[in-house]
Each structure stands twice: as C-alpha cells, then as structure tokens.
Amino acid sequence: MKRYETDVRNGVLYLETDDDWIEIGPMDDICELVGGETYTIEYDERQRQVSWLDTDDGELTFDVRETLADVDYDREFVENVAPVDGEKTDDEGYPMRASVFADLMTDIWDSKGNL
C-alpha cells in the first residue's frame, strides 16, 4: 500500500499526492487549529493495559510539529484533503485545507488511530 509523505518547508506543511505536493498550510495555523504545540490523548483504564502503551497517568502528550513532520498517510486520507481548495479560508481566516487537515488529524488522534 502506497504511503504519502509530508514535508515542512519554511514553516509550511506540504502533503505528497500521486501527482505532486500540495500545500496544507502554515504549521503555526495548524498548531492553533489542533489546540496548541502539544496534543494529549487520554486512555481509559482498559486501554492502559496494552503492553506497548507506557503511560502511568493515562495520558500521552506529543509535539504536534514533530509528529506531523514524521507521519505518512494512506490514499484515503490524501483523497479527503487534496480536493479542498487551498486558496479558500474558513470563517476564522485559516486556510480551508489546513482546517480540514487539522480536523482529520484530531479525529485520528482522539480515536487513537482507529478511524
């Protein structure tokens, strides 16, 4: 299965597609849209029992910029983000593509990767 990379150039996040790279938006905007420079996922008691999860307090906090720079995506994710108009802004003035990207990422993180 093909995976699509990200790239950060001059503080702007780009996503690979089958044809080229598309601009998602400024990392500063994306961090604001997801709620900050770090993101915390909370795990319940049952979820904490899995062997790979090393958290005593049921929380896993990570750096948003580092994570987004290192993540790769499947075709379905790219197909959800790529058609969004990169020039249009949402009601708050953020690039629409960055807003959709941030919403999808927080959905993935909050579902602990199981969308």
Side-chain angles (χ1 to χ4, degrees), residues 32-95:
E32 286 178 26
L33 286 162
V34 301
E37 295 286 327
T38 60
Y39 198 85
T40 300
I41 301 171
E42 294 184 19
Y43 292 88
D44 64 25
E45 192 63 40
R46 183 184 58 79
Q47 292 168 325
R48 287 184 233 174
Q49 302 305 315
V50 296
S51 59
W52 60 266
L53 185 61
D54 185 21
T55 175
D56 293 328
D57 61 358
E59 292 184 346
L60 178 67
T61 300
F62 55 89
D63 183 277
V64 171
R65 290 175 191 268
E66 282 180 20
T67 300
L68 294 180
D70 291 339
V71 172
D72 57 29
Y73 300 90
D74 64 15
R75 180 178 303 279
E76 181 181 359
F77 185 92
V78 173
E79 288 174 348
N80 282 311
V81 175
V84 177
D85 187 343
E87 301 297 316
K88 192 174 181 181
T89 58
D90 66 12
D91 294 339
E92 313 244 336
Y94 294 106

